[in-house]
Amino acid sequence: MSSFKIKDYNLADTIAAPATYPAKSALGVVKISGKQAINIVSKIFAPHRKKNIKKVKSHTLHYGWIVEKRGTRNTQTTKHKPLNTEIIDEVLVSVMRGPASYTREDVVEISSHGGAFVTNRIMELVLDRGARLALPGEFTYRALVGGRIDLLQAQGILSIIDTQSRQGLNLAALQLKGDASGKIREVRDQLRNVFIQTEAVINFPEDEVSVLSRDIKESLADIEAKLNRLLEASKQAQVLKEGARCVICGKSNVGKSTLFNCLLKQQRVIVSKWPGTTRDVVEETINVKGIPLRIYDTAGFLEPKDFIAKEAIEKSRQAFDKADLVILVLDATRRMDKDDLFLLEKVKEKSAVLIINKVDLKQKVNFSHLRRFKGLKAKCSALKNIGIDDLEEVIYNSVCSKGIEGQDIVFLNQYQRQILEKSRDKILEAAKFLEQGYTIDFINLALRESLDSLGKLSGEVLSQEVLESIFSNFCIGK
């Protein structure tokens, strides 16, 4: 997280920033937002056709030049070049008046030719005329404060920028549209109704708590289930956004590196018939059915024979510990031995899939030993590219949480997930108080704290910690 604080955002300022990366490219865009946005641009923009840019209609596009005016004002002009000016670039200027804009303020965007120098030159002029450089995420923060989006939609914007898969992009766009906000709002409304019931009992003590118990017990269970589903869906969203860490492990010479190359669809690591070829952990990113996977080819986990092998195995173990998914590879042409059984036992503690490799050759593996493995299985020949589609299907099903539909996915950062977990835990606490016959005040307090947490999640209750956890990850210009 960067060192900036939400208090550094001054909403009274007019802000500006490059909206595109300043580099050699077709276009460069500078964005300005605030009360003085249109006035500032009027000082550096010379329209092709005579007009007052300060009076143009909202959501209009204007062709002309960015210029730096020098000396005394001179109304004499040539056809294209005003006198006493330096032309910076030929541009298009779009004007969007608030509140019908991204920030709900007056917004102007200057589209110039791409290039770091020209973009920086335009920025210099804008800042010199009264704007200040925007802080990271400040445009989106103004959209939040202005009520155009809520906090979950802001997180959706960040997820659109960060996601690495088509599916992740589609789901992040749905969150920006407001789908996730609607789900949180639905749970919060349900929780608020239960909270109001406890308030009524406190205010009217003649009502029996036993009556309240019958009314809200099922509601609390339903709310808990919905919050658990949202938590599971947020874990799935993290995989879609950042990719799952997937480790390939197995004995030497079972075909781990061949499988790695096969999934990667290129010869990334050396393959040899001699065991122990892989002497380090090799990492690459692949895409399996729309899910990004950070896949690791490892040196194995069994006893090392020399110092280099010991170092490689230690790295393999570290990758294994951090893995979201483990692919255990067995050799179909060899009978299982104690090392295979050791690895089968080891992967029980992880989410894992079992791959029987080399099925194109005569098989000797004893499948009865595999009954103890409760995860998904697949057969393939990585060398002959046989069964790879089925293998990818198995990997996809293992990575994706069962029972979580795409429309339920919600993108949250770690801090937001902790808030959601706190809300769920307070529901469990309220249910426990209810079950054990505590006074209504204890139940009421737990429900209030759960409500406050959900409010922080959606932005109905603005929390500095939550805001900074999100906006510190935005880039300048967004």
Side-chain angles (χ1 to χ4, degrees):
M1 186 182 299
S2 67
S3 60
F4 98 99
K5 300 294 182 183
I6 286 295
K7 63 181 178 61
D8 295 333
Y9 288 155
N10 186 342
L11 298 176
D13 293 343
T14 295
I15 56 175
T20 53
Y21 188 75
K24 187 176 181 180
S25 58
L27 289 175
V29 178
V30 169
K31 181 161 59 177
I32 309 137
S33 179
K35 293 180 180 179
Q36 296 300 315
I38 299 174
N39 182 51
I40 287 171
V41 172
S42 72
K43 298 175 182 178
I44 62 171
F45 178 59
H48 173 62
R49 294 179 179 174
K50 189 176 181 180
K51 66 179 72 172
N52 187 345
I53 197 71
K54 291 190 284 187
K55 295 182 179 181
V56 300
K57 294 181 179 180
S58 181
H59 292 77
T60 53
L61 193 63
H62 308 276
Y63 166 64
W65 297 267
I66 294 297
V67 298
E68 182 178 15
K69 299 177 182 179
R70 294 174 175 173
T72 58
R73 181 174 178 83
N74 190 330
T75 58
Q76 291 182 314
T77 63
T78 63
K79 184 176 182 181
H80 294 300
K81 298 181 181 179
L83 295 177
N84 298 322
T85 64
E86 176 189 351
I87 292 180
I88 306 301
D89 194 13
E90 183 182 35
V91 299
L92 290 173
V93 168
S94 58
V95 176
M96 294 159 279
R97 298 182 183 275
S101 71
Y102 181 74
T103 61
R104 287 283 176 92
E105 303 174 321
D106 288 348
V107 173
V108 181
E109 291 184 354
I110 302 171
S111 297
S112 68
H113 293 94
F117 187 82
V118 65
T119 301
N120 290 335
R121 188 76 180 90
I122 293 172
M123 274 296 302
E124 286 176 4
L125 293 177
V126 170
L127 298 178
D128 185 60
R129 299 309 187 271
R132 71 162 169 82
L133 182 63
L135 295 171
E138 192 166 4
F139 291 96
T140 301
Y141 179 76
R142 292 189 178 198
L144 172 70
V145 173
R148 199 185 77 80
I149 59 173
D150 63 25
L151 207 51
L152 287 171
Q153 289 173 297
Q155 182 67 47
I157 293 170
L158 186 60
S159 298
I160 286 174
I161 296 169
D162 290 343
T163 192
Q164 299 181 43
S165 69
R166 176 183 291 184
Q167 187 177 6
L169 176 60
N170 291 341
L171 295 171
L174 288 176
Q175 182 157 327
L176 173 57
K177 182 172 170 283
D179 287 19
S181 305
K183 290 178 176 61
I184 296 293
R185 189 163 49 248
E186 177 186 332
V187 176
R188 194 161 189 253
D189 289 345
Q190 185 179 1
L191 178 55
R192 186 183 285 112
N193 288 337
V194 179
F195 175 75
I196 290 171
Q197 290 182 57
T198 64
E199 290 276 280
V201 173
I202 292 173
N203 293 326
F204 304 98
E206 62 274 11
D207 291 347
E208 294 292 331
V209 176
S210 59
V211 176
L212 176 69
S213 176
R214 290 195 303 270
D215 289 343
I216 72 172
K217 188 174 182 180
E218 290 185 3
S219 294
L220 290 180
D222 186 48
I223 292 169
E224 179 201 344
K226 289 177 178 177
L227 293 178
N228 280 329
R229 188 175 181 83
L230 285 168
L231 281 166
E232 189 60 37
S234 73
K235 294 177 184 177
Q236 185 62 47
Q238 197 72 11
V239 170
L240 291 172
K241 181 179 175 181
E242 298 180 358
R245 293 182 295 269
C246 180
V247 166
I248 300 175
C249 71
K251 292 193 310 183
S252 295
N253 217 30
V254 297
K256 299 189 299 295
S257 295
T258 304
L259 179 62
F260 181 87
N261 289 337
C262 184
L263 290 171
L264 193 60
K265 297 179 173 56
Q266 69 178 43
Q267 192 76 11
R268 172 64 175 84
V269 291
I270 298 172
V271 175
S272 167
K273 66 180 180 179
W274 305 109
T277 303
T278 303
R279 307 285 277 181
D280 202 349
V281 175
V282 182
E283 176 188 355
E284 286 289 350
T285 299
I286 64 173
N287 194 292
V288 175
K289 298 175 73 66
I291 304 294
L293 294 182
R294 285 176 285 168
I295 193 164
Y296 300 80
D297 183 23
T298 66
F301 298 91
L302 305 175
E303 289 303 316
K305 296 179 179 179
D306 54 48
F307 175 77
I308 296 177
K310 182 179 179 180
E311 291 292 306
I313 288 174
E314 180 57 33
K315 286 187 178 181
S316 296
R317 287 173 177 163
Q318 291 175 8
F320 180 90
D321 291 339
K322 296 177 181 178
D324 300 306
L325 176 69
V326 174
I327 297 177
L328 175 57
V329 184
L330 298 180
D331 186 344
T333 68
R334 289 189 276 177
R335 294 187 182 278
M336 293 182 64
D337 58 20
K338 61 181 180 62
D339 291 335
D340 293 305
L341 296 176
F342 166 78
L343 290 170
L344 273 173
E345 192 66 28
K346 186 173 180 63
V347 299
K348 278 185 177 180
E349 63 197 59
K350 306 289 290 186
S351 174
V353 297
L354 181 62
I355 307 301
I356 311 299
N357 192 28
K358 306 183 184 179
V359 295
D360 56 312
L361 303 175
K362 185 177 180 179
Q363 299 184 28
K364 296 182 181 180
V365 66
N366 187 346
F367 288 98
S368 63
H369 288 301
L370 304 181
R371 292 172 186 164
R372 69 179 68 185
F373 184 81
K374 302 301 181 183
L376 296 176
K377 307 178 184 72
K379 298 179 182 180
C380 74
S381 170
L383 184 63
K384 302 293 185 180
N385 202 33
I386 297 172
I388 300 304
D389 288 342
D390 291 339
L391 168 59
E392 290 186 345
E393 184 71 25
V394 165
I395 293 174
Y396 175 84
N397 291 333
S398 297
V399 171
C400 293
S401 300
K402 296 176 177 61
I404 300 297
E405 300 295 332
Q407 61 268 24
D408 293 328
I409 297 296
V410 54
F411 290 91
L412 303 175
N413 63 28
Q414 184 177 0
Y415 198 89
Q416 289 173 301
R417 281 195 295 275
Q418 290 174 355
I419 290 173
L420 190 56
E421 287 171 354
K422 180 180 178 181
S423 180
R424 187 272 317 276
D425 292 345
K426 287 299 176 180
I427 293 297
L428 290 171
E429 186 178 275
K432 179 181 177 181
F433 289 155
L434 187 64
E435 186 72 27
Q436 296 180 354
Y438 280 63
T439 63
I440 194 65
D441 303 83
F442 285 92
I443 301 167
N444 177 269
L445 179 60
L447 295 179
R448 180 187 293 276
E449 291 177 346
S450 182
L451 269 173
D452 288 345
S453 292
L454 285 182
K456 290 179 181 179
L457 193 64
S458 64
E460 293 178 60
V461 178
L462 291 179
S463 162
Q464 178 176 325
E465 292 81 7
V466 179
L467 290 171
E468 289 174 358
S469 74
I470 293 175
F471 286 97
S472 63
N473 292 302
F474 274 86
C475 59
I476 291 176
K478 193 58 186 165

